[in-house]
Amino acid sequence: MSIKIGIVMDPIESIKVAKDTTLAMMLAAQRRGWELFYMEQPDLYMQDGVACAGMRKIEVYDNPDKWFEAEESHDSALTDLDCILMRKDPPFDMDFIYTTYFLQRASDAGVLVVNDPAALRDINEKMFTAWFPECCPPTLISPSEARLREFHNIHKDIIVKPLDGMGGASIFRLRADDPNISVVIETMTLFGKRQIMAQRYLPEIVDGDKRVLVVDGVPVDHALARIPAAGETRGNLAAGGRGVAVPLSPQNRAMAEQVGVVLREKGVLFAGLDMIGDHITEINVTSPTCVRELDEQCGLDIAGQLMKALAERLTERQK
């Protein structure tokens, strides 16, 4: 019996074929002979307690000129699927949360949802680092200008960022003599009304902000070190960083394994840990990327690893 796998994602028409991790997952599933069904967030709906969607059966190709072909949309209950990949990019707004409720109904009815909807709601990618303080740089989460200033006075050189950002957006470095400290804190916190994160600046960023992918609790052997562009603090690829594959250090592997155990228990089968030097700075569970870059540079098949894990889970459920 063929496996039916749904994918909730951003518009497939606008993806970058050479870099898109979701496409890599779809290609890996298709190689297994699984049927693919494409959905966007507005396609989901609930009727009389049943989570449904307007979904399109789709075929995908690793071709920059033509990477998909989709049939006409048809309405179906999410329970008609065996598995659903939630790959909608942030922002993590109320629409995203509502989507997790649709997926929760499907999960409760026996559909394998990756990542688990409750985990998507509970694991904020910045704040979840608080569960592993021994792995992280000194960190403060607060809306208070006084507390943020005290943190800055102690550490002299800090990074501040929003709790709901992605791709390096709105990340600021504040040095000891920065003349913009007040305006940055006021703007970021909305004058003390919004929580933000502050972390001690890590000079190891010059060697890259490493994305460590974790598949079913197990870290991939290589990380993608995202090297900041000249004059930049941020290594994010979306901010102009350059991705270079590097082997995991023993310390990076140990931290990834420690976090991976907890993520697996929470139903997170695919995550991306951000590490600078020997510190974790973020734990990404919504739609981690960098699969294509690591596959290309290291001859890996990370999406294939994930599909193998999904197949094992589905087999267990059938038993």
Side-chain angles (χ1 to χ4, degrees), residues 13-291:
E13 295 87 353
S14 60
I15 68 171
K16 296 179 180 178
V17 172
K19 293 182 175 293
D20 196 82
T21 290
T22 304
L23 179 63
M25 293 178 178
M26 297 168 79
L27 288 165
Q30 190 170 266
R31 285 194 295 270
R32 284 180 165 266
W34 296 358
E35 295 180 88
L36 307 179
F37 295 87
Y38 163 77
M39 294 164 276
E40 295 177 28
Q41 209 165 229
D43 294 325
L44 298 165
Y45 65 97
M46 192 91 72
Q47 187 159 358
D48 298 328
V50 178
C52 305
M55 57 184 73
R56 302 164 69 189
K57 190 174 182 181
I58 192 170
E59 290 188 17
V60 290
Y61 316 99
D62 196 1
N63 182 339
D65 297 318
K66 180 185 178 182
W67 56 92
F68 77 96
E69 191 169 6
E71 296 181 0
E72 291 295 318
S73 176
H74 68 278
D75 285 3
S76 185
L78 296 186
T79 50
D80 289 340
L81 302 168
D82 299 289
C83 177
I84 300 173
L85 299 177
M86 174 51 170
R87 292 289 303 171
K88 173 69 179 70
D89 285 341
F92 189 86
D93 54 15
M94 286 306 301
D95 282 333
F96 193 104
I97 291 174
Y98 296 148
T99 296
T100 68
Y101 292 138
F102 295 133
L103 297 177
Q104 189 72 60
R105 289 294 292 158
S107 177
D108 291 347
V111 179
L112 175 61
V113 180
V114 178
N115 287 317
D116 181 84
L120 290 176
R121 290 193 297 272
D122 290 347
I123 299 177
N124 176 274
E125 307 191 335
K126 311 295 192 299
M127 294 190 70
F128 196 60
T129 58
W131 274 249
F132 308 94
E134 69 281 5
C135 299
C136 303
T139 300
L140 171 70
I141 299 173
S142 174
S144 165
E145 180 176 356
R147 290 190 177 92
L148 291 163
R149 278 188 169 278
E150 181 182 6
F151 185 83
H152 181 260
N153 289 336
I154 292 170
H155 298 289
K156 309 303 181 186
D157 195 351
I158 67 172
I159 296 292
V160 294
K161 51 189 171 182
L163 296 178
D164 59 354
M166 66 168 290
S170 300
I171 293 178
F172 293 89
R173 178 183 178 184
L174 297 176
R175 294 177 173 88
D177 58 350
D178 197 304
N180 296 305
I181 292 172
S182 294
V183 69
V184 168
I185 292 176
E186 290 167 1
T187 302
M188 294 283 288
T189 66
L190 301 180
F191 292 89
K193 297 178 182 177
R194 180 171 65 184
Q195 301 277 357
I196 67 169
M197 171 179 274
Q199 291 178 323
R200 187 187 70 198
Y201 174 74
L202 298 171
E204 298 94 330
I205 185 64
V206 298
D207 298 320
D209 180 354
K210 291 169 287 188
R211 168 57 57 84
V212 180
L213 295 177
V214 180
V215 179
D216 200 14
V218 179
V220 174
D221 288 336
H222 286 75
L224 192 73
R226 296 162 295 176
I227 313 295
E232 260 287 358
T233 298
R234 304 167 298 172
N236 307 74
L237 300 183
R242 174 173 54 92
V244 178
V246 296
L248 282 193
S249 70
Q251 178 66 11
N252 287 169
R253 181 182 298 278
M255 291 191 300
E257 289 174 346
Q258 177 185 347
V259 176
V261 170
V262 178
L263 292 175
R264 191 177 192 276
E265 290 173 352
K266 290 181 173 293
V268 176
L269 273 65
F270 188 70
L273 313 185
D274 290 347
M275 299 187 187
I276 300 174
D278 290 331
H279 296 89
I280 295 175
T281 58
E282 294 187 16
I283 300 172
N284 298 276
V285 302
T286 49
S287 57
T289 60
C290 298
V291 160

